[in-house]
Structure formats: C-alpha cells, structure tokens
Coordinates of all heavy atoms in Angstrom, one line a residue:
M153 N 31.7 91.1 138.7 CA 31.9 92.5 139.0 C 31.0 92.9 140.2 O 29.8 92.5 140.3 CB 31.5 93.4 137.8 CG 31.5 94.8 138.1 SD 31.0 95.8 136.7 CE 30.7 97.3 137.5
K154 N 31.6 93.5 141.2 CA 30.9 94.0 142.4 C 30.4 95.4 142.2 O 31.1 96.2 141.6 CB 31.8 93.9 143.6 CG 32.3 92.6 143.9 CD 31.2 91.8 144.7 CE 31.8 90.4 145.1 NZ 30.8 89.6 145.7
L155 N 29.3 95.7 142.7 CA 28.8 97.1 142.7 C 29.4 97.8 143.9 O 29.2 97.5 145.0 CB 27.2 97.1 142.8 CG 26.4 96.6 141.7 CD1 24.9 96.6 142.0 CD2 26.7 97.5 140.4
T156 N 30.1 98.8 143.5 CA 30.8 99.7 144.6 C 29.8 100.7 145.0 O 28.8 101.0 144.3 CB 32.0 100.4 144.0 OG1 31.7 101.2 143.0 CG2 33.0 99.3 143.5
Q157 N 30.0 101.4 146.1 CA 29.2 102.5 146.6 C 29.1 103.6 145.6 O 28.1 104.2 145.4 CB 29.6 103.0 148.0 CG 28.7 103.9 148.6 CD 27.3 103.3 148.8 OE1 27.1 102.2 149.3 NE2 26.2 104.0 148.4
E158 N 30.2 103.8 144.9 CA 30.2 104.9 143.9 C 29.3 104.6 142.7 O 28.5 105.4 142.3 CB 31.7 105.0 143.3 CG 31.8 106.1 142.2 CD 33.2 106.2 141.7 OE1 34.1 105.6 142.2 OE2 33.3 107.0 140.7
I159 N 29.2 103.3 142.3 CA 28.3 102.9 141.2 C 26.9 103.0 141.7 O 26.0 103.5 141.0 CB 28.6 101.5 140.7 CG1 30.0 101.5 140.0 CG2 27.6 101.0 139.7 CD1 30.5 100.1 139.7
I160 N 26.6 102.6 142.9 CA 25.3 102.6 143.5 C 24.8 104.1 143.6 O 23.7 104.4 143.3 CB 25.2 102.0 144.9 CG1 25.5 100.5 144.7 CG2 23.9 102.2 145.6 CD1 25.7 99.7 146.0
D161 N 25.7 105.0 144.0 CA 25.4 106.4 144.1 C 25.0 107.0 142.7 O 24.1 107.8 142.5 CB 26.5 107.2 144.7 CG 26.7 106.9 146.2 OD1 25.8 106.3 146.8 OD2 27.8 107.2 146.7
Q162 N 25.8 106.6 141.7 CA 25.5 107.0 140.3 C 24.1 106.6 139.8 O 23.4 107.3 139.2 CB 26.6 106.6 139.3 CG 27.9 107.2 139.5 CD 29.0 106.7 138.6 OE1 28.7 105.9 137.7 NE2 30.2 107.0 138.9
I163 N 23.8 105.3 140.1 CA 22.5 104.8 139.8 C 21.4 105.5 140.5 O 20.3 105.9 139.9 CB 22.4 103.3 140.0 CG1 23.3 102.5 139.1 CG2 21.0 102.8 139.9 CD1 23.5 101.0 139.5
Q164 N 21.6 105.8 141.8 CA 20.6 106.6 142.6 C 20.4 107.9 142.0 O 19.2 108.4 141.9 CB 21.1 106.7 144.0 CG 20.2 107.5 144.9 CD 18.9 106.8 145.1 OE1 18.8 105.6 145.3 NE2 17.8 107.6 145.1
E165 N 21.4 108.6 141.6 CA 21.3 109.9 141.0 C 20.5 109.9 139.7 O 19.7 110.7 139.4 CB 22.7 110.5 140.7 CG 22.7 112.0 140.2 CD 22.1 112.9 141.3 OE1 22.3 112.7 142.5 OE2 21.6 114.0 140.8
A166 N 20.8 108.8 138.9 CA 20.1 108.7 137.6 C 18.6 108.4 137.8 O 17.7 108.8 137.0 CB 20.7 107.6 136.8
M167 N 18.2 107.8 138.9 CA 16.8 107.4 139.2 C 16.0 108.6 139.7 O 14.8 108.5 139.7 CB 16.8 106.3 140.3 CG 17.4 105.0 139.9 SD 16.5 104.2 138.5 CE 15.0 103.8 139.3
L168 N 16.6 109.7 139.9 CA 15.9 110.9 140.4 C 15.4 111.8 139.3 O 15.0 112.9 139.5 CB 16.8 111.8 141.3 CG 17.2 111.1 142.6 CD1 18.2 112.0 143.4 CD2 16.0 110.8 143.5
H169 N 15.3 111.2 138.0 CA 14.8 112.0 136.9 C 13.3 112.3 137.2 O 12.6 111.7 137.9 CB 15.0 111.3 135.6 CG 14.3 110.0 135.5 ND1 13.0 109.9 135.0 CD2 14.7 108.8 135.7 CE1 12.7 108.6 135.0 NE2 13.7 107.9 135.5
T170 N 12.8 113.4 136.5 CA 11.4 113.9 136.7 C 10.7 113.9 135.4 O 11.3 113.9 134.3 CB 11.4 115.3 137.4 OG1 12.1 116.2 136.4 CG2 12.2 115.3 138.7
N171 N 9.4 114.1 135.5 CA 8.5 114.2 134.3 C 8.5 115.7 134.0 O 9.2 116.5 134.6 CB 7.1 113.6 134.6 CG 6.4 114.3 135.7 OD1 6.7 115.4 136.1 ND2 5.4 113.6 136.2
L172 N 7.7 116.1 133.0 CA 7.6 117.5 132.6 C 7.1 118.4 133.6 O 7.4 119.6 133.6 CB 6.8 117.6 131.3 CG 7.4 116.9 130.1 CD1 6.4 117.0 128.9 CD2 8.7 117.6 129.7
K173 N 6.3 117.9 134.6 CA 5.8 118.7 135.7 C 6.8 118.9 136.8 O 6.5 119.6 137.7 CB 4.5 118.1 136.2 CG 3.4 118.0 135.3 CD 2.2 117.2 135.9 CE 1.1 117.0 135.0 NZ 0.0 116.2 135.6
G174 N 7.9 118.2 136.7 CA 8.9 118.3 137.8 C 8.7 117.3 138.9 O 9.4 117.4 139.9
E175 N 7.8 116.4 138.7 CA 7.6 115.4 139.7 C 8.5 114.2 139.5 O 8.7 113.8 138.3 CB 6.1 114.9 139.7 CG 5.1 116.0 139.9 CD 3.7 115.6 139.4 OE1 3.5 114.7 138.7 OE2 2.8 116.3 139.9
I176 N 8.9 113.6 140.5 CA 9.8 112.4 140.4 C 8.9 111.2 139.9 O 7.8 111.0 140.4 CB 10.5 112.0 141.7 CG1 11.5 113.1 142.1 CG2 11.2 110.7 141.7 CD1 12.2 112.9 143.4
N177 N 9.4 110.6 138.8 CA 8.6 109.5 138.2 C 8.5 108.3 139.1 O 7.4 107.7 139.2 CB 9.3 109.1 136.9 CG 9.1 110.1 135.8 OD1 8.1 110.8 135.7 ND2 10.2 110.3 135.0
W178 N 9.6 107.8 139.7 CA 9.5 106.6 140.5 C 9.6 107.0 141.9 O 10.5 107.8 142.3 CB 10.7 105.7 140.1 CG 10.5 105.1 138.7 CD1 9.7 105.5 137.7 CD2 11.2 103.9 138.3 NE1 9.9 104.6 136.7 CE2 10.8 103.7 137.0 CE3 12.2 103.1 138.8 CZ2 11.3 102.7 136.2 CZ3 12.7 102.1 138.0 CH2 12.2 101.8 136.7
K179 N 8.7 106.4 142.7 CA 8.7 106.8 144.2 C 9.3 105.7 145.0 O 9.5 104.6 144.6 CB 7.2 106.9 144.6 CG 6.3 107.8 143.7 CD 6.4 109.2 144.1 CE 5.4 110.0 143.4 NZ 5.8 110.7 142.1
D180 N 9.8 106.1 146.2 CA 10.3 105.2 147.2 C 9.2 104.2 147.5 O 8.1 104.5 147.7 CB 10.8 105.9 148.5 CG 12.0 106.7 148.3 OD1 12.7 106.5 147.3 OD2 12.3 107.6 149.1
G181 N 9.5 102.9 147.5 CA 8.6 101.9 147.8 C 8.0 101.3 146.5 O 7.2 100.3 146.7
D182 N 8.2 101.8 145.3 CA 7.8 101.2 144.1 C 8.4 99.8 144.0 O 9.5 99.5 144.4 CB 8.1 102.0 142.9 CG 7.2 103.2 142.6 OD1 6.3 103.4 143.4 OD2 7.5 103.9 141.7
D183 N 7.6 98.9 143.5 CA 8.0 97.5 143.3 C 8.9 97.4 142.0 O 8.3 97.7 140.9 CB 6.8 96.5 143.2 CG 7.2 95.1 143.0 OD1 8.3 94.7 143.4 OD2 6.4 94.3 142.5
I184 N 10.2 97.2 142.1 CA 11.0 97.2 140.9 C 11.6 95.8 140.7 O 11.7 94.9 141.6 CB 12.2 98.2 141.1 CG1 13.1 97.8 142.2 CG2 11.7 99.6 141.2 CD1 14.4 98.6 142.2
Q185 N 12.0 95.5 139.5 CA 12.7 94.3 139.1 C 14.0 94.7 138.3 O 13.9 95.5 137.4 CB 11.8 93.5 138.2 CG 12.3 92.2 137.7 CD 11.3 91.4 136.9 OE1 10.4 92.0 136.3 NE2 11.5 90.1 136.7
V186 N 15.1 94.1 138.7 CA 16.4 94.4 138.1 C 16.8 93.2 137.3 O 16.8 92.1 137.7 CB 17.5 94.7 139.2 CG1 18.8 94.9 138.5 CG2 17.0 95.8 140.1
Q187 N 17.2 93.5 136.0 CA 17.6 92.5 135.1 C 18.9 92.9 134.4 O 19.2 94.1 134.3 CB 16.5 92.2 134.0 CG 15.2 91.7 134.6 CD 14.1 91.6 133.5 OE1 14.1 92.3 132.5 NE2 13.1 90.7 133.8
I188 N 19.6 91.9 133.8 CA 20.8 92.2 133.0 C 20.5 91.8 131.6 O 19.9 90.8 131.3 CB 22.0 91.4 133.6 CG1 22.3 91.8 135.0 CG2 23.2 91.6 132.7 CD1 22.9 93.2 135.2
A189 N 20.9 92.7 130.7 CA 20.7 92.4 129.2 C 22.0 92.7 128.5 O 22.9 93.4 129.1 CB 19.5 93.2 128.7
G190 N 22.1 92.3 127.3 CA 23.3 92.6 126.5 C 23.2 91.8 125.1 O 22.6 90.8 125.0
T191 N 23.8 92.4 124.1 CA 23.8 91.8 122.8 C 25.1 91.0 122.5 O 25.1 90.1 121.7 CB 23.6 92.9 121.7 OG1 24.6 93.9 121.9 CG2 22.2 93.5 121.8
F192 N 26.2 91.4 123.1 CA 27.5 90.7 122.9 C 28.0 90.3 124.3 O 27.6 90.8 125.3 CB 28.5 91.6 122.2 CG 28.0 92.0 120.8 CD1 27.5 93.3 120.6 CD2 28.0 91.2 119.8 CE1 27.0 93.7 119.4 CE2 27.5 91.5 118.5 CZ 27.0 92.8 118.3
A193 N 29.1 89.5 124.3 CA 29.6 89.0 125.5 C 30.2 90.1 126.4 O 30.1 90.0 127.6 CB 30.8 88.0 125.2
K194 N 30.7 91.2 125.8 CA 31.2 92.2 126.6 C 30.2 93.3 127.0 O 30.5 94.2 127.7 CB 32.4 92.9 125.9 CG 33.6 91.9 125.7 CD 34.7 92.6 125.0 CE 35.9 91.6 124.8 NZ 37.0 92.2 124.2
D195 N 29.0 93.3 126.4 CA 28.0 94.3 126.7 C 27.1 93.8 127.8 O 26.7 92.7 127.9 CB 27.1 94.5 125.4 CG 27.8 95.2 124.3 OD1 28.9 95.8 124.6 OD2 27.3 95.2 123.2
R196 N 26.8 94.8 128.7 CA 25.8 94.5 129.8 C 25.1 95.8 130.0 O 25.6 96.9 130.1 CB 26.5 94.1 131.1 CG 27.2 92.7 131.0 CD 26.1 91.7 130.9 NE 26.7 90.3 130.7 CZ 26.8 89.7 129.6 NH1 26.5 90.3 128.4 NH2 27.3 88.5 129.5
F197 N 23.8 95.6 130.1 CA 22.9 96.7 130.4 C 22.1 96.3 131.6 O 21.6 95.2 131.7 CB 21.9 96.9 129.3 CG 22.5 97.1 127.9 CD1 22.7 96.1 127.0 CD2 23.0 98.4 127.6 CE1 23.3 96.3 125.8 CE2 23.7 98.6 126.4 CZ 23.8 97.5 125.5
I198 N 22.0 97.2 132.6 CA 21.2 97.0 133.7 C 19.8 97.6 133.4 O 19.6 98.7 133.1 CB 21.7 97.7 135.0 CG1 23.1 97.2 135.3 CG2 20.8 97.6 136.2 CD1 23.8 98.0 136.4
V199 N 18.8 96.7 133.5 CA 17.4 97.1 133.2 C 16.6 97.1 134.5 O 16.6 96.1 135.2 CB 16.8 96.1 132.2 CG1 15.3 96.4 131.9 CG2 17.6 96.0 130.9
I200 N 16.1 98.2 134.8 CA 15.3 98.4 136.0 C 13.8 98.6 135.6 O 13.5 99.7 135.1 CB 15.8 99.5 136.9 CG1 17.3 99.3 137.2 CG2 15.0 99.6 138.2 CD1 18.0 100.5 137.9
K201 N 13.0 97.7 135.9 CA 11.6 97.8 135.5 C 10.7 98.2 136.8 O 10.9 97.6 137.8 CB 11.0 96.5 135.0 CG 11.6 96.1 133.7 CD 11.0 94.8 133.2 CE 11.6 94.3 131.9 NZ 10.9 93.1 131.4
N202 N 9.9 99.1 136.6 CA 9.0 99.5 137.7 C 7.7 98.7 137.6 O 6.8 99.0 136.8 CB 8.6 101.0 137.6 CG 7.9 101.5 138.8 OD1 7.3 100.7 139.5 ND2 8.1 102.8 139.1
K203 N 7.6 97.6 138.3 CA 6.4 96.7 138.3 C 5.2 97.4 138.9 O 4.1 96.9 138.6 CB 6.8 95.4 139.1 CG 8.0 94.7 138.5 CD 7.8 94.3 137.1 CE 7.0 93.1 137.0 NZ 6.8 92.6 135.6
T204 N 5.4 98.5 139.7 CA 4.2 99.2 140.2 C 3.4 99.8 139.1 O 2.2 99.9 139.2 CB 4.7 100.3 141.2 OG1 5.5 99.7 142.2 CG2 3.5 101.0 141.8
K205 N 4.0 100.2 138.0 CA 3.3 100.8 136.9 C 2.7 99.8 135.9 O 2.2 100.1 134.9 CB 4.2 101.8 136.2 CG 4.7 102.9 137.1 CD 5.4 103.9 136.4 CE 6.0 105.0 137.3 NZ 5.0 105.8 137.9
D206 N 2.9 98.5 136.2 CA 2.3 97.4 135.4 C 0.9 97.2 135.8 O 0.5 97.4 137.0 CB 3.1 96.1 135.5 CG 4.3 96.1 134.6 OD1 4.4 97.0 133.7 OD2 5.1 95.2 134.7
P207 N 0.0 96.6 135.1 CA 0.1 96.3 133.7 C -0.1 97.6 132.8 O -0.9 98.4 133.2 CB -0.9 95.3 133.4 CG -2.0 95.6 134.4 CD -1.3 96.2 135.6
V208 N 0.5 97.6 131.7 CA 0.2 98.6 130.7 C -1.1 98.3 130.1 O -1.3 97.1 129.7 CB 1.3 98.7 129.7 CG1 1.0 99.7 128.6 CG2 2.6 99.1 130.3
V209 N -2.0 99.2 130.0 CA -3.3 98.9 129.5 C -3.3 99.3 128.0 O -3.0 100.4 127.6 CB -4.4 99.7 130.2 CG1 -5.8 99.5 129.5 CG2 -4.5 99.4 131.6
S210 N -3.5 98.3 127.1 CA -3.4 98.5 125.7 C -4.7 99.1 125.2 O -5.8 99.0 125.8 CB -3.2 97.2 125.0 OG -2.0 96.6 125.4
A211 N -4.6 99.8 124.1 CA -5.8 100.4 123.5 C -6.7 99.2 123.0 O -6.3 98.1 122.7 CB -5.4 101.2 122.3
A212 N -8.0 99.6 122.9 CA -9.0 98.6 122.4 C -8.7 98.3 120.9 O -8.2 99.2 120.2 CB -10.4 99.2 122.5
P213 N -9.0 97.1 120.4 CA -8.8 96.8 119.0 C -9.7 97.7 118.1 O -10.8 98.1 118.5 CB -9.3 95.3 118.9 CG -9.5 94.8 120.2 CD -9.6 96.0 121.2
H214 N -9.2 98.0 116.9 CA -9.9 98.8 116.0 C -11.2 98.1 115.6 O -11.1 96.9 115.2 CB -9.1 99.2 114.8 CG -9.6 100.3 114.0 ND1 -10.7 100.2 113.2 CD2 -9.3 101.6 113.9 CE1 -11.0 101.3 112.6 NE2 -10.1 102.2 113.0
P215 N -12.4 98.7 115.6 CA -13.6 98.0 115.3 C -13.7 97.6 113.8 O -14.5 96.7 113.5 CB -14.7 99.0 115.7 CG -14.1 100.3 115.6 CD -12.6 100.1 116.0
Y216 N -13.0 98.3 112.9 CA -13.2 98.0 111.5 C -11.9 97.3 110.9 O -11.7 97.3 109.7 CB -13.4 99.2 110.7 CG -14.6 100.0 111.2 CD1 -14.6 101.4 111.3 CD2 -15.8 99.4 111.5 CE1 -15.7 102.1 111.7 CE2 -16.9 100.1 111.9 CZ -16.9 101.4 112.0 OH -18.0 102.1 112.4
F217 N -11.1 96.6 111.8 CA -9.9 95.9 111.3 C -10.0 94.4 111.6 O -10.3 94.0 112.7 CB -8.7 96.5 111.9 CG -7.4 96.1 111.3 CD1 -7.0 96.5 110.1 CD2 -6.6 95.1 112.0 CE1 -5.8 96.1 109.5 CE2 -5.4 94.7 111.4 CZ -5.0 95.2 110.2
D218 N -9.8 93.6 110.6 CA -9.8 92.2 110.7 C -8.3 91.8 111.0 O -7.5 91.8 110.1 CB -10.3 91.5 109.4 CG -10.4 90.0 109.6 OD1 -9.6 89.4 110.4 OD2 -11.2 89.4 108.9
Y219 N -8.0 91.5 112.2 CA -6.6 91.2 112.6 C -6.1 89.9 112.1 O -4.9 89.8 111.9 CB -6.5 91.2 114.1 CG -6.6 92.6 114.7 CD1 -7.8 93.2 115.0 CD2 -5.5 93.4 114.8 CE1 -7.9 94.5 115.5 CE2 -5.6 94.7 115.3 CZ -6.8 95.3 115.6 OH -6.9 96.5 116.1
E220 N -6.9 88.9 111.7 CA -6.4 87.7 111.1 C -6.0 87.9 109.7 O -5.0 87.5 109.2 CB -7.5 86.6 111.2 CG -7.7 86.1 112.6 CD -8.8 85.1 112.8 OE1 -9.2 84.6 111.7 OE2 -9.1 84.7 113.9
K221 N -6.9 88.7 108.9 CA -6.6 88.9 107.5 C -5.7 90.2 107.3 O -5.2 90.4 106.2 CB -7.9 89.1 106.8 CG -8.8 87.9 106.7 CD -10.1 88.2 106.0 CE -11.0 87.0 106.0 NZ -12.3 87.3 105.5
K222 N -5.6 91.0 108.4 CA -4.8 92.2 108.3 C -5.3 93.2 107.3 O -4.5 93.8 106.6 CB -3.3 91.9 108.1 CG -2.7 91.0 109.3 CD -1.3 90.8 109.1 CE -0.8 90.0 110.3 NZ 0.6 89.7 110.3
V223 N -6.6 93.4 107.3 CA -7.3 94.3 106.4 C -8.4 95.1 107.1 O -9.0 94.5 108.1 CB -7.8 93.7 105.1 CG1 -6.7 93.1 104.3 CG2 -8.9 92.6 105.5
F224 N -8.7 96.3 106.7 CA -9.9 97.0 107.2 C -11.1 96.4 106.6 O -11.2 96.2 105.3 CB -9.7 98.5 106.9 CG -8.8 99.2 107.9 CD1 -7.5 99.3 107.6 CD2 -9.3 99.6 109.1 CE1 -6.6 100.0 108.4 CE2 -8.4 100.2 110.0 CZ -7.1 100.4 109.7
T225 N -12.2 96.2 107.4 CA -13.4 95.6 106.9 C -14.3 96.7 106.3 O -15.1 96.3 105.4 CB -14.1 94.9 108.0 OG1 -14.4 95.8 109.1 CG2 -13.3 93.7 108.4
K226 N -14.2 97.9 106.7 CA -15.0 99.0 106.1 C -14.3 100.3 106.4 O -13.5 100.4 107.3 CB -16.4 99.0 106.5 CG -16.7 99.5 107.9 CD -18.2 99.5 108.1 CE -18.6 100.0 109.5 NZ -20.1 100.0 109.7
D227 N -14.6 101.3 105.6 CA -14.0 102.6 105.7 C -14.8 103.5 106.6 O -15.9 103.8 106.3 CB -13.9 103.2 104.3 CG -13.0 104.5 104.3 OD1 -12.6 104.9 105.4 OD2 -12.8 105.0 103.2
G228 N -14.2 103.8 107.8 CA -15.0 104.6 108.7 C -15.2 106.0 108.3 O -16.0 106.8 108.9
R229 N -14.5 106.5 107.3 CA -14.6 107.9 106.8 C -16.0 108.1 106.3 O -16.5 109.2 106.4 CB -13.6 108.2 105.7 CG -12.2 108.2 106.3 CD -11.2 108.4 105.2 NE -11.2 107.3 104.3 CZ -10.4 107.1 103.2 NH1 -9.5 108.1 102.9 NH2 -10.4 106.1 102.5
E230 N -16.7 107.2 105.7 CA -18.0 107.3 105.2 C -19.0 107.7 106.3 O -19.8 108.6 106.2 CB -18.5 106.1 104.4 CG -17.7 105.7 103.2 CD -18.0 104.4 102.7 OE1 -18.9 103.7 103.2 OE2 -17.3 103.9 101.7
E231 N -18.9 107.0 107.4 CA -19.8 107.3 108.5 C -19.5 108.6 109.1 O -20.4 109.4 109.5 CB -19.7 106.2 109.6 CG -20.2 104.9 109.1 CD -20.0 103.8 110.2 OE1 -19.6 104.1 111.3 OE2 -20.4 102.6 109.9
Y232 N -18.2 109.0 109.2 CA -17.8 110.3 109.7 C -18.4 111.4 108.9 O -18.9 112.4 109.4 CB -16.3 110.4 109.7 CG -15.7 111.7 110.2 CD1 -15.8 112.0 111.6 CD2 -15.1 112.6 109.4 CE1 -15.3 113.3 112.0 CE2 -14.6 113.8 109.8 CZ -14.7 114.1 111.1 OH -14.3 115.3 111.6
V233 N -18.3 111.3 107.6 CA -18.9 112.4 106.7 C -20.4 112.5 106.9 O -20.9 113.6 106.9 CB -18.5 112.1 105.2 CG1 -19.3 113.0 104.3 CG2 -17.0 112.2 105.0
K234 N -21.1 111.3 107.1 CA -22.5 111.3 107.3 C -22.8 112.1 108.6 O -23.8 112.8 108.7 CB -23.1 109.9 107.4 CG -23.2 109.3 106.0 CD -23.7 107.8 106.2 CE -23.7 107.1 104.8 NZ -24.2 105.7 105.0
E235 N -22.0 111.8 109.7 CA -22.2 112.5 110.9 C -22.0 114.0 110.8 O -22.8 114.7 111.4 CB -21.2 111.9 112.0 CG -21.6 110.5 112.4 CD -20.5 110.0 113.4 OE1 -19.7 110.8 114.0 OE2 -20.4 108.8 113.6
L236 N -21.0 114.4 110.1 CA -20.8 115.8 109.9 C -22.0 116.5 109.1 O -22.4 117.6 109.5 CB -19.5 116.0 109.1 CG -18.2 115.8 109.8 CD1 -17.0 116.1 108.9 CD2 -18.1 116.7 111.0
K237 N -22.5 115.8 108.1 CA -23.7 116.3 107.4 C -24.9 116.4 108.3 O -25.6 117.4 108.2 CB -24.0 115.5 106.2 CG -23.0 115.6 105.1 CD -23.3 114.8 103.9 CE -22.2 114.9 102.8 NZ -22.5 114.0 101.6
N238 N -25.1 115.4 109.1 CA -26.2 115.4 110.0 C -26.1 116.6 111.0 O -27.1 117.2 111.4 CB -26.4 114.1 110.8 CG -26.9 113.0 109.9 OD1 -27.5 113.3 108.8 ND2 -26.7 111.8 110.3
E239 N -24.9 116.8 111.6 CA -24.7 117.9 112.5 C -24.9 119.2 111.9 O -25.5 120.1 112.5 CB -23.3 117.8 113.1 CG -23.1 116.7 114.1 CD -21.6 116.6 114.6 OE1 -20.8 117.5 114.3 OE2 -21.3 115.5 115.2
S240 N -24.4 119.4 110.7 CA -24.6 120.7 110.0 C -26.0 121.0 109.7 O -26.5 122.1 109.8 CB -23.7 120.8 108.8 OG -24.1 119.9 107.8
S241 N -26.8 119.9 109.2 CA -28.2 120.1 108.9 C -29.0 120.4 110.2 O -30.0 121.2 110.2 CB -28.8 118.9 108.2 OG -28.8 117.8 109.0
T242 N -28.6 119.8 111.3 CA -29.3 120.0 112.6 C -29.1 121.5 113.0 O -30.0 122.2 113.5 CB -28.8 119.1 113.7 OG1 -29.0 117.7 113.2 CG2 -29.6 119.2 114.9
K243 N -27.9 122.0 112.9 CA -27.6 123.4 113.2 C -28.3 124.4 112.4 O -28.7 125.4 112.9 CB -26.1 123.6 113.1 CG -25.3 122.9 114.2 CD -23.8 123.1 114.1 CE -23.0 122.4 115.1 NZ -21.5 122.6 114.9
K244 N -28.5 124.0 111.1 CA -29.2 125.0 110.2 C -30.7 125.1 110.6 O -31.3 126.1 110.4 CB -29.1 124.5 108.8 CG -27.7 124.7 108.2 CD -27.6 124.2 106.8 CE -26.2 124.3 106.2 NZ -26.1 123.8 104.9
Q245 N -31.3 124.0 111.1 CA -32.7 124.0 111.4 C -32.9 124.8 112.7 O -34.0 125.2 112.9 CB -33.2 122.5 111.6 CG -33.2 121.7 110.4 CD -33.5 120.3 110.6 OE1 -33.8 119.9 111.7 NE2 -33.6 119.5 109.5
V246 N -31.9 124.9 113.5 CA -32.1 125.6 114.8 C -32.1 127.1 114.6 O -32.4 127.9 114.1 CB -31.0 125.2 115.8 CG1 -31.1 126.1 117.1 CG2 -31.0 123.8 116.1

C-alpha cells in the first residue's frame, strides 16, 4: 500500500494535538521512529514514537519492598505515625 498525499495530510492533522495548556505536544524537528504493528494479518497500526522524549525516567524502587520475594519488608505506616506524634508534640511545646 502506498501512502497518498491525502493519507499523509490526515496523519499531519492528527499530529497537531495539544496538551491541556493548548501547547502542541510534538515539535517540528523531534526525533521520531515509525513502526508497523498488528494482531492479525489484515490489521495494521502505524506507531509513531517520539524518541526525543526518551528515556522515560522510572520511579525509584520502594525502600521497603523486596522485589525478589515480592513482599514488603516493613510497614512504613508505623514510622509515619511516629513522625506525626513528634510533630504534634513539638508544636505543643512552642
């Protein structure tokens, strides 16, 4: 299948979407990668990845979670309650 100018224009229009502030998400000159995907022989999806926005920075691992055993090593709520009590006693002394 060849991409006609009409299809290219439709893709161009779809790429002009904006974020909640009204700013265009993808800028001219962004490094993009085009891929084809599909689940069945007749399905095709055009995937356009913005490589300029890579790498995605993942969150830090949870300090109280053992990822090999898949269990929490301690309950952080106990420390949180202690912090709250310390803050409230400090405020009472002032």
Side-chain angles (χ1 to χ4, degrees):
M153 175 184 166
K154 297 281 183 184
L155 289 177
T156 64
Q157 188 59 47
E158 180 182 351
I159 294 172
I160 294 169
D161 291 343
Q162 290 176 12
I163 294 169
Q164 178 65 41
E165 185 66 29
M167 296 297 292
L168 293 176
H169 61 87
T170 61
N171 61 20
L172 294 175
K173 296 178 186 176
E175 302 164 341
I176 293 178
N177 290 324
W178 291 18
K179 310 273 190 268
D180 289 343
D182 280 357
D183 182 23
I184 64 165
Q185 182 179 19
V186 179
Q187 298 174 333
I188 298 291
T191 53
F192 300 105
K194 294 182 182 180
D195 288 346
R196 289 294 174 262
F197 305 98
I198 298 172
V199 179
I200 304 172
K201 293 182 178 182
N202 190 336
K203 302 301 281 180
T204 303
K205 299 188 184 293
D206 277 350
V208 174
V209 179
S210 299
H214 195 285
Y216 303 137
F217 189 75
D218 185 333
Y219 287 90
E220 290 179 8
K221 296 178 183 174
K222 298 184 180 181
V223 295
F224 282 94
T225 55
K226 75 177 184 180
D227 188 354
R229 294 178 290 185
E230 296 169 5
E231 292 179 4
Y232 177 71
V233 170
K234 286 179 186 177
E235 288 177 17
L236 287 179
K237 287 180 181 178
N238 288 339
E239 287 178 11
S240 64
S241 65
T242 306
K243 289 180 182 177
K244 287 179 183 177
Q245 292 175 0
V246 174

